[in-house]
Amino acid sequence: MHSNKIVLIGVISFSILYVLTYALAPKLFNPVGDAAGKGMSTGFLMLGIMGAFILIAIVLTVVNLFLMKGVTSTGIRFLAFVPLIIAVCHGAYRFLFG
């Protein structure tokens, strides 16, 4: 498969998976206990999801960097870094404003 298509498919699938997981995880995981326990378990769940996706984004960015030899478009070269940008910016946003 052409390198441009691999990078594009990887970035789109990462973005969709990130949004779906972050939006659906609190609804699928229903903690039992008092209000403080529910809040802490939901917070730790979101923190774990963000940490896992930062690691996945780092791995995907490294893989995309190895595929850069065959990439011809400047836009696709920028898209190779989008998973890392999404994960880090979302983590920073939640840390600063959340």
Side-chain angles (χ1 to χ4, degrees):
M1 190 182 287
H2 200 260
S3 296
N4 291 346
K5 292 178 185 176
I6 294 172
V7 170
L8 190 62
I9 290 170
V11 169
I12 290 171
S13 62
F14 176 82
S15 302
I16 291 171
L17 182 65
Y18 190 85
V19 169
L20 286 176
T21 302
Y22 197 78
L24 293 177
K27 292 170 182 57
L28 296 175
F29 179 72
N30 192 8
V32 178
D34 60 342
K38 287 181 183 181
M40 283 181 54
S41 66
T42 303
F44 284 132
L45 176 68
M46 293 299 116
L47 186 64
I49 289 172
M50 282 192 291
F53 273 102
I54 285 176
L55 292 176
I56 292 170
I58 290 170
V59 169
L60 188 59
T61 303
V62 169
V63 168
N64 287 340
L65 289 176
F66 283 116
L67 292 173
M68 286 291 190
K69 292 180 256 181
V71 172
T72 56
S73 174
T74 306
I76 301 294
R77 287 181 184 264
F78 171 74
L79 283 178
F81 296 100
V82 167
L84 192 59
I85 292 170
I86 289 172
V88 170
C89 287
H90 183 249
Y93 173 78
R94 295 300 295 172
F95 178 72
L96 293 174
F97 303 110

